[in-house]
Amino acid sequence: MISKALISDLEQIYSLTKTCAKHMIANGIFQWNEKYPSKEVLQKDIDLQQIWKLEVNKTIVGIIVLTEVEDKEYLNVKWLTKNVNNIYVHRLAVLPVYQGKGYAQKLMDFAENYASNNKYSSIRLDTFSQNKRNQLFYEKRNYTKLENIYIPNQSEHPFYCYEKILNV
């Protein structure tokens, strides 16, 4: 079941992100680290009611952030649609023991349905240039790869921006 995360979920969500970060690092993907995502970032997501959780047997196995806020790193990106009525995906994560079972697909299905039902013109996101699996994941879902951005606190490597047009 997918529902909005509550403040009571913060510790479990933080643990999930730390487990995912360790798993990525162990696989040579230095996308997340000890600083990101921080507990403060996750708490803000909860406070702003923009983080959703996927639960299986009362365990949070995945999360996704859906926000209308455009990060400053995106300001110079040449998006496919106008900068009006877009939604951004951040922090899509699934516990490693649940990966490969379709939960990331379920979270993205939810995001796309949410965006379409709420008449957003597109979904925008970025993914780490060193994470080939994520790039393939979004490309199979018909996201268009655009340009690179850099997020200095996370990595020296670029992040690739993607967009999927929904309602024009």
Side-chain angles (χ1 to χ4, degrees):
M1 181 176 88
I2 298 174
S3 59
K4 280 193 180 171
L6 307 171
I7 196 66
S8 57
D9 298 319
L10 180 59
E11 290 302 323
Q12 197 176 159
I13 289 171
Y14 183 63
S15 176
L16 178 150
T17 61
K18 291 298 146 204
T19 301
C20 289
K22 287 177 188 169
H23 180 73
M24 285 189 281
I25 290 166
N27 287 288
I29 301 168
F30 301 94
Q31 179 174 351
W32 287 0
N33 54 41
E34 67 281 347
K35 295 177 188 152
Y36 182 86
S38 68
K39 193 179 280 188
E40 293 74 25
V41 164
L42 297 168
Q43 181 170 343
K44 185 176 178 184
D45 287 337
I46 293 170
D47 292 344
L48 293 173
Q49 297 187 15
Q50 63 186 21
I51 188 168
W52 300 80
K53 61 184 177 181
L54 170 59
E55 289 183 286
V56 175
N57 298 325
K58 298 185 180 178
T59 298
I60 299 173
V61 302
I63 60 166
I64 191 169
V65 171
L66 303 175
T67 181
E68 294 180 358
V69 177
E70 182 180 37
D71 289 348
K72 66 182 185 305
E73 291 83 5
Y74 293 157
L75 292 178
N76 294 318
V77 174
K78 291 172 189 68
W79 298 103
L80 301 173
T81 59
K82 292 180 181 178
N83 275 2
V84 181
N85 203 32
N86 312 100
I87 195 161
Y88 299 85
V89 170
H90 296 297
R91 294 179 276 292
L92 172 63
V94 174
L95 279 172
V97 296
Y98 288 89
Q99 290 177 6
K101 299 178 182 346
Y103 292 115
Q105 296 285 1
K106 284 184 183 185
L107 285 162
M108 282 308 297
D109 287 345
F110 171 81
E112 290 171 12
N113 287 332
Y114 177 89
S116 185
N117 291 340
N118 287 284
K119 307 292 187 236
Y120 288 100
S121 57
S122 74
I123 297 182
R124 297 172 173 180
L125 54 90
D126 66 73
T127 194
F128 191 46
S129 61
Q130 306 302 297
N131 193 335
K132 305 295 182 208
R133 186 176 172 195
N134 271 12
Q135 294 166 44
L136 186 60
F137 174 77
Y138 292 118
E139 288 165 12
K140 282 185 174 179
R141 294 186 68 90
N142 297 315
Y143 283 76
T144 301
K145 182 178 172 186
L146 301 170
E147 54 197 272
N148 302 349
I149 60 169
Y150 289 86
I151 306 174
N153 292 339
Q154 280 184 252
S155 177
E156 63 194 33
H157 298 287
F159 288 73
Y160 298 150
C161 293
Y162 285 84
E163 185 171 21
K164 183 175 187 175
I165 298 173
L166 299 172
N167 301 298
V168 182

